[in-house]
């Protein structure tokens, strides 16, 4: 099956269509939850859970 | 050798509608970051979208005779996948777009070129192309319809 929109085109194997549908639904739900957290004031570091990985990489901030 | 295979196992409408509800980017990510076609293949109008069963055809570069054959044999709901060697030429215009609409074809995707893009936008037929090109084509070389092919960097099986 082939899907296209303003961003581009993607092909999905026939035997993977149901998986793609289910995984897409889960992904959209997760993204909607992230957006709600941003609206409530959280930062990308919080929402994407980046604090530990940034610390491990040695990121420094002047505050 | 048979050039045109017409009997393909088309997806059912309900599954097409359910998958089509999600964006191409979401589907690509959700299925494991695979299946993305060449990002240079873009809609001639950003509001265009489609989801459907692939009906594949190989056109010789700058030749559209097999595209005319494909439109003749495609069924309502099919998405025409037109592999044409990534060469710019006006292989598809408003006249053939009207033929597609009349036959109930869902969309056309090509790594070749299209023209009459304003008229096609006004018609509202979804066209995704690598090139927009005013130069005309010839009708010379035969090629396969509904055989597996590599298109936009992905393997496309007929009826995928």
């Amino acid at each position: 099956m082939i899907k296209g929109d303003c961003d581009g085109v993607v092909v999905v194997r026939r035997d993977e269509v149901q998986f793609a549908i289910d995984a897409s639904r889960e992904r959209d739900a997760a993204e909607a939850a992230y957006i709600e957290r941003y609206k409530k004031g959280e930062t990308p570091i919080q929402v994407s859970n980046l604090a530990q990985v940034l610390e491990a990489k040695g990121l420094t901030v002047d505050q | 050798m048979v050039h045109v295979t017409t009997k393909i196992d088309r997806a059912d409408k309900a599954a097409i509608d359910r998958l089509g509800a999600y964006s191409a980017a979401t589907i690509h990510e959700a299925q494991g970051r695979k299946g993305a076609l060449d990002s240079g293949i873009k809609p001639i109008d950003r509001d265009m979208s489609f989801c459907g069963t692939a009906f594949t055809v190989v056109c010789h570069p700058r030749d559209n005779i097999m595209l005319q054959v494909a439109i003749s044999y495609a069924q309502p709901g099919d998405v025409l996948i037109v592999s044409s060697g990534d060469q710019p030429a006006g292989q598809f215009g408003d006249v053939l777009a009207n033929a597609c609409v009349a036959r109930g074809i869902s969309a056309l995707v090509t790594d070749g070129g299209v023209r009459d893009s304003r008229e096609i936008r006004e018609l509202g037929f979804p066209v995704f192309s690598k090139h927009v090109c005013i130069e005309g084509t010839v009708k010379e070389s035969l090629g396969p319809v509904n055989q597996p092919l590599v298109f936009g960097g992905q393997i496309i099986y007929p009826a995928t």
Side-chain angles (χ1 to χ4, degrees), chain A residues 54 58-62:
Chain A
L54 291 172
L59 181 76
T60 56
V61 181
D62 69 343

Side-chain angles (χ1 to χ4, degrees), chain A residues 1-5 9 11 14 18, chain B residues 9 20 24 35 37 52 159-160:
Chain A
M1 208 177 289
I2 306 275
K3 161 76 186 197
D5 60 25
V9 186
V11 58
R14 180 67 65 83
Q18 189 57 52
Chain B
D9 178 25
L37 302 194
T160 286

Side-chain angles (χ1 to χ4, degrees), chain B:
Chain B
M1 175 192 150
V2 174
H3 288 100
V4 180
T5 298
T6 59
K7 296 177 179 62
I8 57 174
D9 178 25
R10 292 175 170 82
D12 68 271
K13 181 74 164 57
I16 290 169
D17 289 345
R18 282 187 290 136
L19 183 70
Y22 301 101
S23 73
T26 291
I27 295 166
H28 165 65
E29 289 278 0
Q31 69 171 344
R33 294 191 166 182
K34 61 183 183 180
L37 302 194
D38 178 353
S39 64
I41 298 173
K42 285 288 192 289
I44 61 170
D45 183 323
R46 60 185 299 125
D47 290 331
M48 289 176 169
S49 66
F50 68 86
C51 188
T53 296
F55 187 102
T56 70
V57 57
V58 177
C59 286
H60 197 81
R62 304 173 193 273
D63 186 320
N64 81 345
I65 192 169
M66 291 311 296
L67 175 53
Q68 307 224 13
V69 171
I71 293 169
S72 301
Y73 287 101
Q75 295 294 309
D78 288 346
V79 174
L80 294 178
I81 304 297
V82 185
S83 175
S84 192
D86 196 357
Q87 295 294 315
Q91 289 171 308
F92 182 84
D94 63 340
V95 175
L96 286 179
N98 274 280
C100 288
V101 169
R103 296 191 56 75
I105 294 168
S106 285
L108 177 140
V109 186
T110 180
D111 64 358
V114 303
R115 59 184 177 179
D116 306 325
S117 54
R118 177 189 298 276
E119 289 84 353
I120 297 172
R121 278 194 289 272
E122 289 171 357
L123 181 65
F125 178 67
V127 170
F128 287 56
S129 72
K130 183 73 177 283
H131 305 281
V132 175
C133 180
I134 61 175
E135 295 178 69
T137 55
V138 297
K139 297 175 177 60
E140 292 291 339
S141 301
L142 300 184
V145 172
N146 284 326
Q147 293 296 321
L149 51 79
V150 174
F151 177 82
Q154 298 291 330
I155 298 174
I156 311 283
Y157 295 95
T160 286

